Amino acid sequence: MSKWILLLGGSTGHGAATAKKLASEGYGIIAFHFDRGEAKKIANDTIEEVNQISKNKCHYFNTNAASQKTMDKYIPKIKEITNGEPLKLLLHSIAFGTTTNFFGDKPVTQRQMDMTVHVMGNSLLYWTQNLYDEGLLSKGSRIIGLTSEGNYLAMEGYGPVSVAKVAMEAIIRQIGWELGSEGITANSVQAGITPTRALTKITDNWEHWVKNTKKRNPMKRTTEPEDVANVISLLLLPEADFINCSIVYCDGGESRSGTI
Ligand SMILES: NC(=O)c1ccc[n+]([C@@H]2O[C@H](COP(=O)([O-])OP(=O)(O)OC[C@H]3O[C@@H](n4cnc5c(N)ncnc54)[C@H](O)[C@@H]3O)[C@@H](O)[C@H]2O)c1
């Protein structure tokens, strides 16, 4: 088992916090991100920081991680980086999808649905298949995807992403079921509302969501990317070897709290 991890979506939010946390624990970081303009500047700051923490044991690629071409091009590079040794972690932390309702002014189109479900859901399956075929996942490797309360609640503008989350959870469950006998586990981590760039894209009302969340959450605050990074770090411990096909909550109890 190598001390390398692969992050899909590692430049901001949960992915960036995980990169920093795991780099500080001695892991090498291989990460994809897809940032232009202002977002690219933020990404560059993250990359610089992760480079420092990991003492340059860090490779970031700014390209669409959901495309098969990217997998074909970069998996040989990943294999070179890890010396052919398996990855400890494959984390899917990509936020890229259409946030619109099914009806009304801008009803979602088939193209938008297909894209969102592919990028935020199915792409994790194709990465897992490709890495597995190359021997880059084996006993002790973890596959983790991030899900949200929107997997079972209907919310303004969240329909397409909600479908993608349900797809991802099913994919993770099935991967864990099929590969568990080899000691490879797959789990979802359900984060509470976290003020990241992705949240600002879901709704113009995001500040209101944050305010309400602070009231509703039993711990009276929103989730922070560092909370999620901490849980992912715990899931890499050998003590977590038997957690498989599960949803692990990292939300301070938010999803268990009523809204009235
Ligand atoms: N923010 C929340 O409230 C919240 C709550 C629960 C779950 N999540 C989930 O956490 C995950 C990460 O979201 P975040 O809040 O950290 O968002 P974020 O916008 O801060 O980060 C998204 C990351 O995805 C990358 N990305 C986007 N499209 C990509 C592509 N095609 N290829 C490669 N990289 C790509 C970006 O460059 C960035 O690194 C998402 O799956 C999101 O649904 C977020």
Side-chain angles (χ1 to χ4, degrees):
M1 172 64 54
S2 76
K3 261 222 139 187
W4 285 94
I5 62 147
L6 174 58
L7 305 175
L8 309 178
S11 61
T12 56
H14 297 122
T18 303
K20 290 175 205 169
K21 171 79 181 163
L22 297 184
S24 76
E25 293 175 358
Y27 286 99
I29 310 297
I30 306 167
F32 287 86
H33 63 118
F34 201 29
D35 297 309
R36 304 281 178 265
E38 204 45 44
K40 204 171 156 186
K41 287 187 201 146
I42 304 168
N44 286 340
D45 290 345
T46 302
I47 296 168
E48 208 181 301
E49 210 181 322
V50 177
N51 245 317
Q52 272 177 15
I53 303 172
S54 68
K55 301 193 177 67
N56 299 322
K57 230 179 128 191
C58 155
H59 302 263
Y60 268 78
F61 305 111
N62 190 3
T63 189
N64 177 14
S67 98
Q68 184 62 47
K69 269 192 196 152
T70 299
M71 293 178 221
D72 293 343
K73 181 172 167 190
Y74 287 94
I75 287 178
K77 281 189 208 273
I78 294 169
K79 210 169 176 179
E80 232 175 81
I81 294 169
T82 70
N83 252 327
E85 293 295 309
L87 295 158
K88 180 64 195 171
L89 167 71
L90 165 63
L91 173 71
H92 187 293
S93 185
I94 294 179
F96 187 97
T98 301
T99 48
T100 192
N101 282 339
F102 290 177
F103 303 93
D105 289 352
K106 289 185 193 159
V108 72
T109 64
Q110 182 179 348
R111 197 160 169 265
Q112 290 169 329
M113 280 300 287
D114 292 349
M115 182 275 287
T116 306
V117 175
H118 172 71
V119 177
M120 294 190 76
N122 299 351
S123 64
L124 177 60
L125 168 60
Y126 308 130
W127 267 103
T128 307
Q129 286 177 326
N130 282 281
L131 291 170
Y132 179 78
D133 285 348
E134 289 300 320
L136 288 168
L137 296 171
S138 77
K139 191 174 185 320
S141 298
R142 315 281 198 235
I143 291 132
I144 298 178
L146 297 182
T147 189
S148 73
E149 204 180 6
N151 59 359
Y152 53 80
L153 288 181
M155 285 190 268
E156 182 71 28
Y158 204 77
V161 177
S162 175
V163 176
K165 292 296 178 208
V166 173
M168 175 187 270
E169 286 179 21
I171 285 166
I172 285 174
R173 190 166 56 237
Q174 187 73 20
I175 290 172
W177 187 82
E178 291 192 32
L179 301 184
S181 59
E182 298 184 34
I184 301 169
T185 62
N187 294 289
S188 302
V189 170
Q190 182 174 315
I193 298 245
T194 318
T196 62
R197 189 153 53 100
L199 185 70
T200 67
K201 297 269 155 70
I202 295 169
T203 167
D204 292 339
N205 231 356
W206 67 272
E207 281 167 309
H208 186 66
W209 283 25
V210 166
K211 206 171 138 206
N212 276 356
T213 299
K214 285 181 182 166
K215 273 197 219 146
R216 175 190 176 202
N217 190 301
M219 303 191 77
K220 301 297 168 210
R221 66 170 177 88
T222 55
T223 304
E224 293 299 327
E226 290 71 24
D227 296 313
V228 171
N230 286 341
V231 168
I232 290 169
S233 156
L234 286 177
L235 288 174
L236 299 196
L237 297 175
E239 286 82 351
D241 275 354
F242 207 54
I243 302 177
N244 191 25
C245 304
S246 293
I247 298 177
V248 177
Y249 294 85
C250 176
D251 68 353
E254 190 172 301
S255 56
R256 295 296 188 226
S257 307
T259 49
I260 306 170

